[in-house]
């Protein structure tokens, strides 16, 4: 699976951004897809994810402000980020969890190249 992420940038506090992540290749093995983020010096944090059957999970710090959606035809997930705070400044990484969807056998995770989101006045 190959991932192409886009949409990061600089935004004022309280502003909005939308990240996109398009998957290609062996997309029939995608069990879940979504975003993590990493702030320099801190552990990686799950932002949001969606399973192949449509269950969405959010991280504690982003629930209620961020919304994850999916375009199945385009094999793309979108992360709409609203009411952004300086604490949301991080590199955001798209990921895919790859499994055999019949047996649940785990293959591996795939990661995009990362896109920087900076929230600052």
């Amino acid at each position: 699976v190959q991932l192409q992420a886009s949409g990061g940038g600089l935004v004022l506090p309280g502003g909005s951004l939308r990240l996109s992540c398009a998957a290609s290749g062996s997309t029939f093995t995608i069990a879940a897809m979504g975003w993590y983020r990493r702030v320099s010096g801190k552990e990686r944090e799950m932002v949001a994810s969606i399973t192949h059957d449509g269950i969405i999970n959010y991280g504690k710090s982003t629930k209620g402000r961020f919304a994850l959606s999916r375009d199945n035809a385009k094999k793309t997930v979108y992360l709409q980020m609203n009411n952004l705070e300086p604490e949301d400044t991080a590199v955001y990484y798209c990921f895919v969890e790859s499994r055999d969807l019949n047996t649940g056998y785990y293959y591996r995770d795939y990661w995009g190249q990362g896109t920087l989101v900076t929230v600052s006045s």
Side-chain angles (χ1 to χ4, degrees):
V1 177
Q2 295 79 45
L3 299 174
Q4 182 65 48
S6 61
L10 174 64
V11 63
L12 294 172
S16 298
L17 276 177
R18 189 176 82 156
L19 305 182
S20 300
C21 179
S24 59
S26 300
T27 58
F28 59 89
T29 66
I30 294 176
M33 190 170 175
W35 296 88
Y36 273 77
R37 68 185 182 185
R38 184 186 294 275
V39 176
S40 180
K42 295 187 177 181
E43 290 188 3
R44 186 179 62 190
E45 176 187 16
M46 199 279 282
V47 177
S49 67
I50 183 168
T51 64
H52 66 96
D53 51 359
I55 298 172
I56 299 176
N57 292 296
Y58 293 99
K60 290 181 180 180
S61 61
T62 59
K63 192 173 184 178
R65 298 186 297 123
F66 291 10
L68 189 68
S69 61
R70 179 176 65 190
D71 184 326
N72 288 326
K74 295 182 179 179
K75 305 291 191 293
T76 300
V77 293
Y78 303 96
L79 182 67
Q80 178 66 42
M81 305 185 292
N82 299 321
N83 194 21
L84 283 160
E85 304 167 351
E87 292 73 25
D88 296 314
T89 296
V91 178
Y92 286 69
Y93 295 92
C94 178
F95 81 95
V96 156
E97 179 185 299
S98 175
R99 292 181 180 269
D100 181 321
L101 297 185
N102 292 317
T103 66
Y105 179 81
Y106 171 76
Y107 292 136
R108 59 165 288 181
D109 290 343
Y110 294 87
W111 296 91
Q113 78 276 20
T115 184
L116 177 62
V117 172
T118 303
V119 185
S120 175
S121 55

